[in-house]
Amino acid sequence: MDKNKSIQVLQAYATGLSAQSRQHKVQSQVFASMGFTKLAEKYNDHAKEEADWVEKMTDRIINLGGEAKVEAAPEQKIYKDVVEFIKADLAVSEKEVPVLGQITLSLAEDMTTFDLLKGYYQDEEEDMYWMQGQLDLIESIGLQNWLIKQL
């Protein structure tokens, strides 16, 4: 087992997730200010979920003897257009979920990290399918009808 590889992977994901968590929290506030309460709650819960993953990854880094770090993350765009946001978030997921799957498999010798990342992978895949479903629903019932469901 390569502990350094596990630590590096976990740190990279913890850094990225910290940024995503903050973006989703702010995005939730924007949606709430627009009156889309259900969508705001969805992304507020998502932000909390991501923060929980960061905590689990940080715990694992420490358990492996690594040094927990708070690293700067790239700036995250905040959207006023709901569909534009979901499409942008989906594009990230569609690009990153397969990469996460490959990285997870590469850590199979570290079963604890493997299991942690496998759980995170499953969560991300579920989120990706939810976004795809929402875009399909928008196309099926129309944006205005979908937005009414988000009030």
Side-chain angles (χ1 to χ4, degrees):
M1 175 176 92
D2 185 349
K3 288 185 353 178
N4 288 331
K5 179 180 178 183
S6 293
I7 291 167
Q8 287 175 346
V9 166
L10 290 166
Q11 184 60 56
Y13 276 103
T15 297
L17 272 172
S18 291
Q20 281 184 319
S21 177
R22 185 68 187 134
Q23 178 197 30
H24 287 140
K25 177 65 177 167
V26 173
Q27 200 64 64
S28 168
Q29 292 171 290
V30 170
F31 293 153
S33 75
M34 297 167 70
F36 301 125
T37 307
K38 290 181 183 175
L39 197 58
E41 288 173 6
K42 167 71 176 168
Y43 279 97
N44 187 53
D45 290 346
H46 193 59
K48 289 177 184 176
E49 192 176 82
E50 288 167 331
D52 289 345
W53 283 113
V54 170
E55 187 175 323
K56 290 174 187 176
M57 290 176 187
T58 302
D59 284 343
R60 181 64 182 150
I61 290 167
I62 292 167
N63 289 340
L64 287 169
E67 184 179 326
K69 300 175 187 173
V70 177
E71 297 177 325
E75 182 179 337
Q76 300 287 320
K77 182 177 179 180
I78 302 301
Y79 296 81
K80 288 239 180 208
D81 183 305
V82 174
V83 175
E84 186 182 346
F85 171 71
I86 293 173
K87 286 180 178 179
D89 211 25
L90 177 59
V92 170
S93 290
E94 289 176 335
K95 177 182 169 194
E96 295 300 323
V97 166
V99 173
L100 173 59
Q102 292 172 349
I103 289 171
T104 300
L105 289 174
S106 78
L107 295 171
E109 290 181 22
D110 176 356
M111 290 300 291
T112 303
T113 301
F114 174 82
D115 287 343
L116 175 63
L117 290 178
K118 181 180 171 189
Y120 173 56
Y121 174 89
Q122 291 168 333
D123 184 55
E124 287 299 299
E125 185 179 55
E126 181 181 305
D127 292 338
M128 182 176 67
Y129 292 146
W130 180 86
M131 289 181 282
Q132 289 169 338
Q134 295 310 298
L135 292 173
D136 289 346
L137 188 58
I138 290 167
E139 190 169 314
S140 176
I141 67 173
L143 178 59
Q144 293 306 313
N145 291 327
W146 184 83
L147 289 172
I148 289 168
K149 294 176 67 66
Q150 304 308 315
L151 296 174

